Amino acid sequence: MKFLLTALFAFLLNIVIFLPLAIAGLESDKQALLKFAASVRHGRKLNWNTNSPVCTSWVGVTCTQDGTRVVALRLPGAGFIGQIPTNTLGKLDALRSLSLRSNLLSGSLPSDITSIPSLNNLYIQHNNFSGDLPANFSNQLNVLDLSFNSFTGNVPETIQNLTLLTGLSLQENHLSGSIPDLKLPALRHLNLSYNQLNGSIPGSLQRFPKASFVGNLHLCGPPLHPCSPILPPPSPSSSPMLPQKQSPKKKFGLGVIIAVAAGGAVMLFLLALIILCCCLKKKDDGGTGVSKGKTSVGGRSEKPKEEFGSGVQEPDKNKLVFFEGCSYNFDLEDLLRASAEVLGKGSYGTAYKAVLEEATTAVVKRLKEVVVGKKDFEQQMEMIGRVGQHPNVVPLRAYYYSKDEKLLVYDYVPGGSLSTLLHGNRAGGRSSLDWKSRVKISLGAARGLAHIHSIGGPKFTHGNIKSSNILLNQDLDGCITDLGLTPLMNAPAAPSRSVGYRSPEVIESRKHTHKSDVYSFGVLLLEMLTGKAPLQSAGHDEMVDLPRWVQSVVREEWTAEVFDVELMRFQNIEEEMVQMLQIAMSCVAKVPDMRPSMDQVVRLIEDVKQSDTENQPSSEENKSKDSNVQTP
Ligand SMILES: *[C@@H]1O[C@H](CO)[C@@H](O)[C@H](O)[C@H]1NC(C)=O
Ligand SMILES: *[C@@H]1O[C@H](CO)[C@@H](O)[C@H](O)[C@H]1NC(C)=O
Ligand SMILES: *[C@@H]1O[C@H](CO)[C@@H](O)[C@H](O)[C@H]1NC(C)=O
Ligand SMILES: *[C@@H]1O[C@H](CO)[C@@H](O)[C@H](O)[C@H]1NC(C)=O
Ligand SMILES: *[C@@H]1O[C@H](CO)[C@@H](O)[C@H](O)[C@H]1NC(C)=O
């Protein structure tokens, strides 16, 4: 003991007096590793000799490039047995990646490991750790895999603070209690399966599949089974099991509105009068255009909270038709009872955000002026449902058809529309959208559209590509909505914002083809590049479309003037912007056959994005390194 202390003292003295700080860091890493190796039994012999260089010869150890700190320790399946003491690996305070998966480690997981400030990735699955999960985490954590252990206790609330977390694997433990409301926008992979969790799945996590939650007997709510037994359709008021259903709805009950509408002819008359007044007043308001993004906070959205169910007939006769694979648990009555908020009014109808019980949120679109019969409508819906199975397409979940009312139910996509991001909305100014995001959104939208074309076949078009129909999902990727509705509708008589997106042949003959979608997509790219609306005022009353405007500017060789001033703040993107401009211009060629197909457009944009990532190799490199950890 005495000897040890003296040695330690000598060593400390060494550091303080003789060695520069960087070496001190490496020396302390070395001591931490040696202490770990000394205190944890291991089957395989480690070649960690005090005299050999840590960074170049120690197995499983990776250092910074300049060899001054240990940044990764990877020893999967090394036969470690027993507990990890505190003050061993927890002292590796420059560590970014730790993999000790598939060992026989047990006991509690020291919280000084999970709280190493620089820690990005922790893989300790397939051990036998037990006890509570530590509550202290590095806020740099990216991937946390604690699965296949014997952890008990609750899922710590502090996980909520890990804003960079993309993967959380806690399956196959003995965790209990309810799941905290983890609002983690970056989270893409979640697995809580096979624990003893209970209660309802919080709204923020309902976007994950069933497979993320299975094997927890007392867990309920979407995407699993509903939390309470489904009631027989009539009289929800008599169930003692469902106190929440009895509580009076403060929000507008749509069913009530229907009753009122049916009962009071006088009311109807008054309503008509009010609407008439509004219309007259708004006549010079111009834009009947669509906006699916956040809409006005002003007077406009206050009143029509209730409208989307007024034409629904006896609910039992005509039910909501759900598509396969849809995890929604509501029926038409729930939908009509939900509180609704107008998201936007477009040429095809009005979109509402409906918030149902258990925090399910859906978008309900109420179509106006559907001109096709029930059979054709249903066929088109089937087609839209089938084509919509792609990460870059907003899926149609259900529809309702009756003589007086046609409703479509979509997933709610929280990020707003590209239109709102580029141009702002009535209430607020635009937020600036950087170049990378613009390319990413465009690529997502292009992929979605290419998918629609390839699955839908030559006759199936989107028919209404515009920036307000490109929504942003939680990964800030572009998602296309509103596809396939054009054939159901009367062509809107009033000029709407979509006019600027129509190709010459559509304006002439109303014939929609894949190539007319490509044209609209080209206009969308121009809009993204210029930050300008698709129709430009050219003085007086004359309007000039965006392709012609860009052509005229480019012809004068003032290319730089074309681009959105917002983009001028970013460095080294000119080349990419010009490439993108060329793609856009090829899409808006006058002759349809001269335009590329959407598949080609995807590849062209991918090339632009490729050069984009080549400029920043570091983050990609890290990623590929980290993924190595997972391969055996
Ligand atoms: C894992 O640890 C628990 C106690 O924490 C013990 O009961 C169990 O037998 C261990 N399992 C294995 C496979 O070692
Ligand atoms: C978490 O870590 C910080 C510093 O690393 C420490 O001060 C604190 O006591 C720890 N809290 C818990 C609950 O372990
Ligand atoms: C989590 O974040 C909140 C605020 O963002 C903070 O008050 C709280 O202390 C944090 N908790 C931990 C454990 O870091
Ligand atoms: C969940 O389980 C815990 C015990 O692990 C219990 O105290 C709690 O009441 C349960 N909650 C629900 C909603 O069942
Ligand atoms: C979660 O883990 C279980 C195995 O324990 C697996 O069956 C399930 O597919 C996983 N879920 C996801 C979403 O990967």
Side-chain angles (χ1 to χ4, degrees), residues 329-349:
N329 276 309
F330 52 79
D331 58 19
L332 189 57
E333 277 181 79
D334 294 331
L335 199 60
L336 297 179
R337 243 189 278 124
S339 69
E341 166 196 337
V342 176
L343 281 177
K345 298 191 178 200
S347 34
Y348 291 166

Side-chain angles (χ1 to χ4, degrees), residues 176-178 198-199:
S176 56
S178 58
N198 64 8

Side-chain angles (χ1 to χ4, degrees), residues 99 104 150 172 214 217 237 246 263 316 351 409 415 430 469 478 561-562 565 578:
S99 170
L104 297 168
S150 300
E172 310 269 359
V214 292
L217 280 182
S237 55
Q246 284 175 326
D316 302 63
V409 180
R430 56 193 286 206
N469 280 338
E561 306 251 304
V562 164
V565 285
V578 171

Side-chain angles (χ1 to χ4, degrees), residues 114-172:
T114 52
S115 59
I116 293 172
S118 52
L119 196 66
N120 294 145
N121 303 301
L122 181 61
Y123 301 95
I124 56 158
Q125 66 270 34
H126 293 282
N127 280 286
N128 194 23
F129 285 107
S130 56
D132 286 351
L133 294 178
N136 245 1
F137 294 101
S138 149
N139 60 11
Q140 297 299 308
L141 271 171
N142 224 275
V143 177
L144 188 56
D145 194 334
L146 311 180
S147 60
F148 296 90
N149 279 290
S150 300
F151 285 113
T152 51
N154 296 341
V155 177
E157 305 242 348
T158 44
I159 289 186
Q160 200 162 310
N161 283 16
L162 308 181
T163 48
L164 301 179
L165 202 65
T166 60
L168 177 62
S169 302
L170 300 176
Q171 73 268 28
E172 310 269 359

